[in-house]
Amino acid sequence: MADGTLRNIGPIILLGPPGAGKGTQAKRIAERYGIPQISTGDILRDNVQRGTDLGLQARAVMARGELVPDSLVCDMVAGRLRQADCARGFILDGFPRTPAQAGWLDAFLEREVFDNGRGGQCLPIVMRIDVDYNRLLQRLTGRRTCLANGHIYNVYFQPPRVADICDVDGSRLVIRNDDREEVIRERLKAYDLQTRPVAEYYEQKGRLVVVDGDLPVDEVSERVLREIENHAVTAAGGS
Ligand code: AMP
C-alpha cells in the first residue's frame, strides 16, 4: 500500500506545456498517495462526449486548441474540489492555465481551507515540468489514447505491442481531436501566451519548483515525488 495514504498532502499543482508528461506524473502521484488526479482537459472532454451544457460551450474552443473561458473552468473545478475525495489533497493537472485562474484558486483555497491535519493550512506545491519544444511536438503528434480507460502510448517512444490496439484492454487507440499538428501549434501558442505567466505568478510567491521533463520518465517521477516529500517535511516544520 502507498506509504503516504494517511497523510494530508494538500493541493499539488502540475504546470507545463501540453505533452510535458503532467498526466503521467499525476497518475503516479495519485497512486502513491491515494489522492485524486483532477485533469481539467479530461473533465472537459468527458462533458463534450456526454453533450452537457458545459461540453457544448467548450467543444468548438477545444477543437481550435484555444482555452475555455476562465469562469466556466473555475466553476467546474470548484464543484470537483468540494467532493469528499479531495479532503486529504488532490493533483491539479492542466489547471490553473491563466493568471486569473491562479488568483481564483488561491482565493478558493484560502476560503475553503485544506488543513494539514495539525490545524495549519496546506499550501499548494507547484511544479512545472519543462520539456524541449521539438520533443513536445513528437510527444503530441505521436500520442495515441485508449478511449476506454485513458491509457496513453506514443508511436515513437512507447508503441503498443499491436499497432493501434491498447495492450491493457484491447481497445482501439485513437488520436485525440486536438493532437492534430495544426491544433497542437495553437495549443502550444496558448501555453506560451496564457499559461507561461502562471509559473511567473507562483515564482514571485516563491512557490515554484522546476523539474526537468526531458529526463527518462522514471527519473522525472523520482524527482517529483522527492519534491512532494520535501514540501511535506517543510510544511510539518521539519519533523
Ligand atoms: P489538456 O488535455 O489539458 O491539454 O486540455 C485540452 C483542452 O481543454 C485545452 O486545449 C483547452 O481547450 C481545454 N482546457 C483544459 N484545461 C483548461 C483550463 N484550465 N483552462 C481553459 N481551458 C482548458
Side-chain angles (χ1 to χ4, degrees):
M1 190 65 179
D3 59 5
T5 47
L6 294 176
R7 233 174 341 132
N8 282 6
I9 302 296
I12 297 174
I13 298 172
L14 294 183
L15 300 177
K22 299 187 298 294
T24 302
Q25 297 304 331
K27 283 190 179 62
R28 292 181 175 196
I29 301 168
E31 215 167 279
R32 169 74 167 249
Y33 294 106
I35 56 176
Q37 169 195 8
I38 299 173
S39 156
T40 43
D42 283 351
I43 302 176
L44 286 166
R45 274 185 291 280
D46 178 57
N47 275 274
V48 169
Q49 224 182 348
R50 290 189 290 118
T52 63
D53 272 356
L54 172 61
L56 292 175
Q57 294 180 75
R59 188 188 188 104
V61 182
M62 292 173 75
R64 289 196 299 270
E66 296 168 10
L67 294 188
V68 174
D70 288 336
S71 57
L72 292 181
V73 182
C74 290
D75 284 352
M76 178 183 95
V77 169
R80 181 65 188 87
L81 294 186
R82 288 188 182 120
Q83 289 176 20
D85 63 339
C86 293
R88 285 180 40 248
F90 49 84
I91 308 143
L92 285 170
D93 156 13
F95 184 94
R97 229 155 159 136
T98 63
Q101 291 179 13
W104 173 88
L105 180 65
D106 267 346
F108 180 87
L109 293 177
E110 218 168 286
R111 249 191 348 262
E112 313 208 8
V113 181
F114 291 88
D115 72 32
N116 62 10
R118 297 176 180 82
Q121 192 184 0
C122 273
L123 279 178
I125 170 160
V126 185
M127 281 180 281
R128 187 184 70 203
I129 305 178
D130 283 350
V131 175
D132 168 76
Y133 185 84
N134 288 323
R135 191 184 295 247
L136 280 181
L137 279 183
Q138 260 195 322
R139 285 192 186 175
L140 292 165
T141 53
R143 181 153 70 180
R144 299 290 180 272
T145 306
C146 153
L147 271 191
N149 291 300
H151 301 116
I152 292 171
Y153 299 83
N154 187 289
V155 295
Y156 304 114
F157 310 118
Q158 197 199 342
R161 283 194 295 272
V162 178
D164 295 330
I165 300 292
C166 178
D167 292 350
V168 183
D169 56 31
S171 318
R172 180 153 284 282
L173 301 179
V174 297
I175 300 179
R176 254 170 56 175
N177 229 355
D178 57 357
D179 276 346
R180 287 172 294 122
E181 194 151 343
E182 66 280 14
V183 184
I184 287 170
R185 290 193 188 277
E186 283 309 311
R187 290 167 63 202
L188 291 174
K189 218 184 328 169
Y191 175 77
D192 262 337
L193 290 174
Q194 293 165 280
T195 310
R196 217 173 262 291
V198 174
E200 286 156 23
Y201 171 94
Y202 288 117
E203 193 168 25
Q204 277 166 12
K205 292 174 181 274
R207 275 157 45 196
L208 181 72
V209 175
V210 177
V211 177
D212 179 359
D214 285 318
L215 294 169
V217 61
D218 289 343
E219 272 180 55
V220 177
S221 297
E222 254 174 57
R223 286 174 194 223
V224 162
L225 294 173
R226 204 182 313 140
E227 291 297 344
I228 295 171
E229 291 299 323
N230 286 344
H231 180 82
V233 169
T234 315
S239 61

